């Protein structure tokens, strides 16, 4: 199979060269930028674009194989600016190709998968677009290909979905059958801890008929305790405030008759070492308190990982993911759970109290992670009925 490379001063010009030489059905393997010395390719040109392409295999699928050789670089230096692709269809095709192969470019071996199994490529791209890391996406696709052969994207996707969900564990805090459950929620500023507690309190009190008490130890944010007290007043629940460890012990004593005590904490930067130590000291020795880390799904992956690492000194027992309605790339949740394995306890999908709140389980996680991908696979919607989240899987 011929593998050819084309260089031009713009991606549009390079794509035009591909079309002219290999035809409109050529497959784009990769695109990249190449820095050049100023003036080497004309005034003001500081970079070139290189497109690697192969001829279309339409009408002869049996001859698709791994590239056996690569022809010399086709260096067609334009003497004048090339005309851009003028038709709307050509523009759409170009954008799709660029998006597809920019994703595949994360892994050098993706070309082999593309040439040998288009269904696997379709599933792989869908996972990466959802925010799942390229390494995990490729590994899961490879495993699924062994268990679901046949080239059916929908069947392959379901196999991958099951592999992803196997990586999750779920916990049920606040459901102690005997004794009292005391749950504290910690995390950075603005992730929605107070609202999450209000939602959980409403669910426990109104739906599960639990005797609930609320406790705020957020003495940094103006009005934080008042916000929690407002929720408590609406629900008819007691709400106390504590400023130090002595206050905390006293407040827990006053709430000793409650089935569940929910503790709201001050939001703080994971990089504020002093305040992190203060919180660790506040909970030190309180073995009865079950701590849960609240993370926003819109947080970038590296910051989410760093947050979990720095809050690790509190020995939290589960993740609570909030603001999942504000992003389409929920694969960051998958990546975080794989990097630092910990059960997921609750999912928050919006601002409404108490509607936008769910206990994490396999079905809820399946809807959360995969519902937006259903359009890529024709029979995906037949895999299940809508659950309480209103998403079909």
């Amino acid at each position: 199979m011929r593998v050819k490379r084309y260089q031009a001063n713009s991606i549009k010009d390079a794509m035009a060269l591909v079309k002219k030489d290999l035809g409109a059905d050529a497959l784009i393997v990769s695109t990249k930028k190449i820095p050049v010395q100023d003036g080497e390719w004309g005034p003001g040109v500081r970079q070139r674009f290189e497109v690697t392409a192969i001829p279309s295999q339409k009408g002869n699928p049996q001859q698709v194989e791994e590239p056996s050789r690569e022809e010399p670089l086709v260096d067609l230096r334009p003497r004048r600016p090339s005309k851009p692709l003028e038709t709307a269809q050509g523009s759409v095709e170009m954008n799709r190709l660029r998006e597809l192969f920019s994703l595949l470019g994360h892994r050098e071996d993706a070309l082999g998968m593309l040439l040998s199994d288009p269904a696997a490529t379709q599933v792989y791209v869908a996972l990466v677009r959802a925010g799942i890391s390229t390494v995990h996406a490729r590994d899961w696709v490879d495993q699924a290909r062994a268990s679901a052969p046949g080239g059916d994207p929908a069947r392959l996707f379901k196999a991958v979905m099951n592999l992803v969900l196997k990586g999750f564990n779920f916990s049920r805090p606040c459901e102690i059958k005997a004794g009292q459950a005391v749950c504290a929620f910690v995390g950075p500023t603005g992730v929605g801890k107070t609202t999450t507690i209000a939602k959980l309190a409403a669910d426990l009190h109104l739906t599960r008929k639990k005797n609930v008490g609320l406790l705020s130890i957020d003495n940094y944010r103006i009005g934080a305790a008042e916000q929690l007290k407002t929720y408590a007043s609406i629900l008819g629940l007691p709400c106390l405030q504590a400023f130090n460890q002595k206050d905390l012990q006293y407040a827990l004593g006053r709430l000793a008759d409650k089935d569940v005590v929910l503790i709201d904490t001050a939001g703080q930067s994971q990089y504020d070492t002093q305040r992190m130590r203060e919180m660790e000291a506040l909970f030190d020795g309180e073995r009865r308190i079950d701590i849960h880390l609240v993370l926003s799904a819109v947080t970038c992956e590296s910051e989410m990982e760093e947050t979990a690492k720095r809050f690790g000194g509190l020995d939290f027992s589960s993740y609570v993911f909030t603001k999942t309605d504000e992003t389409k790339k929920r694969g960051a949740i998958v990546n975080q759970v794989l990097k630092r394995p910990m059960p997921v306890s609750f999912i928050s999908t919006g601002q409404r109290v108490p509607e936008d709140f769910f206990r994490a389980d396999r079905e809820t996680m399946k809807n959360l992670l995969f519902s937006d991908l259903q359009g890529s696979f024709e029979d995906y919607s037949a895999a299940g009925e809508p659950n309480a989240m209103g998403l079909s899987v």
Side-chain angles (χ1 to χ4, degrees):
M1 178 182 298
R2 294 182 303 154
V3 179
K4 305 183 74 173
R5 292 180 293 159
Y6 302 81
Q7 284 189 2
N9 289 347
S10 71
I11 190 69
K12 288 185 178 181
D13 291 346
M15 292 295 295
L17 293 175
V18 172
K19 271 194 159 186
K20 180 179 179 180
D21 191 39
L22 300 181
D25 295 327
L27 297 177
I28 310 303
V29 176
S30 66
T31 62
K32 66 178 181 179
K33 295 179 181 179
I34 302 175
V36 298
Q37 294 182 357
D38 191 16
E40 182 180 359
W41 292 91
V45 178
R46 292 186 173 86
Q47 64 182 11
R48 299 266 289 169
F49 292 86
E50 181 179 293
V51 176
T52 304
I54 57 178
S56 171
Q57 298 298 310
K58 275 189 176 181
N60 195 16
Q62 298 300 322
Q63 295 186 6
V64 176
E65 58 184 16
E66 297 288 342
S68 56
R69 63 188 179 89
E70 182 174 303
E71 293 190 0
L73 172 67
V74 180
D75 191 7
L76 304 177
R77 182 175 177 178
R79 301 304 178 185
R80 62 181 60 87
S82 300
K83 293 182 180 180
L85 298 177
E86 295 179 354
T87 67
Q89 181 179 1
S91 178
V92 170
E93 289 176 354
M94 184 181 72
N95 288 335
R96 287 178 178 173
L97 288 171
R98 287 162 61 186
E99 178 183 23
L100 172 64
F101 290 101
S102 66
L103 290 173
L104 292 177
H106 287 289
R107 291 286 297 266
E108 293 181 359
D109 54 353
L111 174 60
M113 180 173 64
L114 168 69
L115 298 176
S116 63
D117 193 339
T121 301
Q122 183 181 353
V123 174
Y124 171 82
V125 171
L127 294 175
V128 174
R129 289 182 64 186
I132 293 177
S133 76
T134 57
V135 174
H136 294 308
R138 181 58 196 269
D139 289 344
W140 281 321
V141 169
D142 284 342
Q143 293 180 53
R145 291 168 72 190
S147 62
D152 179 3
R155 184 181 177 189
L156 185 65
F157 180 76
K158 291 176 185 177
V160 169
M161 182 172 64
N162 288 329
L163 290 172
V164 174
L165 293 173
K166 284 182 180 179
F168 282 88
N169 291 311
F170 306 101
S171 65
R172 288 289 179 268
C174 310
E175 293 187 7
I176 298 177
K177 295 182 179 179
Q180 183 187 60
V182 181
C183 300
F185 296 83
V186 301
T189 303
V191 296
K193 293 184 295 298
T194 303
T195 305
T196 296
I197 289 175
K199 294 175 181 178
L200 178 56
D203 176 68
L204 290 169
H205 180 61
L206 301 177
T207 305
R208 303 178 188 275
K209 308 304 180 184
K210 297 289 185 180
N211 195 0
V212 181
L214 304 182
L215 176 56
S216 172
I217 54 175
D218 187 348
N219 54 357
Y220 284 93
R221 185 163 55 97
I222 297 176
E226 285 68 25
Q227 182 182 5
L228 190 64
K229 286 179 179 178
T230 299
Y231 286 127
S233 177
I234 294 172
L235 295 170
L237 302 177
C239 181
L240 305 180
Q241 190 169 9
F243 296 96
N244 51 48
Q245 191 177 55
K246 184 178 180 180
D247 291 344
L248 175 61
Q249 292 172 349
Y250 176 74
L252 289 174
R254 288 187 58 187
L255 297 172
D257 62 327
K258 305 303 177 185
D259 298 322
V260 181
V261 176
L262 303 178
I263 303 177
D264 189 17
T265 64
Q268 58 193 51
S269 167
Q270 62 270 28
Y271 299 106
D272 191 334
T273 305
Q274 179 61 35
R275 288 183 60 183
M276 291 296 295
R277 289 175 180 171
E278 290 176 3
M279 181 168 289
E280 291 174 12
L282 184 64
F283 289 122
D284 186 40
E286 287 291 345
R287 300 297 180 186
R288 54 182 165 166
I289 298 179
D290 192 17
I291 300 176
H292 307 275
L293 178 61
V294 182
L295 295 172
S296 168
V298 301
T299 304
C300 74
E301 188 174 326
S302 60
E303 288 300 328
M304 189 181 291
E305 181 181 6
E306 188 66 21
T307 299
K309 177 182 177 181
R310 290 179 178 265
F311 275 88
L314 292 170
D315 195 24
F316 62 90
S317 61
S318 84
Y319 293 120
V320 178
F321 289 103
T322 63
K323 303 189 179 184
T324 58
D325 59 312
E326 298 180 17
T327 180
K328 295 294 184 181
K329 291 197 170 185
R330 298 171 189 142
I333 295 174
V334 178
N335 301 335
Q336 178 58 39
V337 169
L338 292 174
K339 289 177 182 178
R340 190 183 181 98
M342 195 68 65
V344 181
S345 54
F346 301 108
I347 300 291
S348 177
T349 61
Q351 293 296 316
R352 294 181 303 169
V353 179
E355 294 88 349
D356 299 331
F357 184 76
F358 303 90
R359 293 172 182 271
D361 56 28
R362 180 182 171 88
E363 287 301 310
T364 300
M365 194 59 64
K366 183 172 70 172
N367 281 278
L368 178 70
L369 297 175
F370 300 113
S371 63
D372 288 331
L373 303 182
Q374 61 182 343
S376 301
F377 307 96
E378 292 181 355
D379 62 348
Y380 177 65
S381 59
E385 298 297 327
N387 74 351
M389 299 178 77
L391 305 172
S392 290
V393 173

